[in-house]
Amino acid sequence: MIRVSDIMEKEIINVKNGKRMGFITDIDMDINEGKIMSFTITGDGGRGLFSRNGEGQVVFFSDILKIGCDTIIVNIGSELNVDEFNI
């Protein structure tokens, strides 16, 4: 079993593009069922997709592929665009 406090310390990585998305700042739970429905991610100090100014991205629990020791791997968004890196 894993605790909510343990989950919030893990960094979120998107498997579709390999980018760091940030850290969980809010969790939406169904307390009647005892299940996590979704969570909100904000970037890590402005280096990620979002800054810590109240904005964030909602990720549904069904998008989680793997919860590891230090990271949570999710599958959201579109595939990596090679042109993004001028390759």
Side-chain angles (χ1 to χ4, degrees):
M1 185 172 295
I2 191 166
R3 297 177 182 188
V4 172
S5 60
D6 294 334
I7 289 176
M8 294 188 75
E9 294 177 358
K10 298 178 187 298
E11 186 170 20
I12 310 302
I13 307 292
N14 189 353
V15 72
K16 290 253 180 158
N17 58 18
K19 288 187 178 182
R20 295 175 169 181
M21 297 181 69
F23 295 89
I24 297 172
T25 56
D26 193 17
I27 295 178
D28 181 25
M29 295 183 68
D30 180 345
I31 55 174
N32 294 325
E33 295 287 324
K35 295 180 182 180
I36 295 175
M37 305 306 290
S38 65
F39 50 87
T40 304
I41 301 170
T42 56
D44 50 351
R47 291 181 293 149
L49 294 174
F50 302 97
S51 61
R52 294 189 185 271
N53 60 2
E55 294 181 10
Q57 180 172 1
V58 175
V59 177
F60 294 98
F61 195 77
S62 59
D63 294 329
I64 294 175
L65 296 178
K66 182 78 173 174
I67 298 176
C69 295
D70 299 319
T71 60
I72 297 175
I73 307 298
V74 297
N75 185 17
I76 58 173
S78 60
E79 296 291 332
L80 176 65
N81 183 357
V82 178
D83 293 332
E84 181 178 334
F85 297 105
N86 298 321
I87 296 177

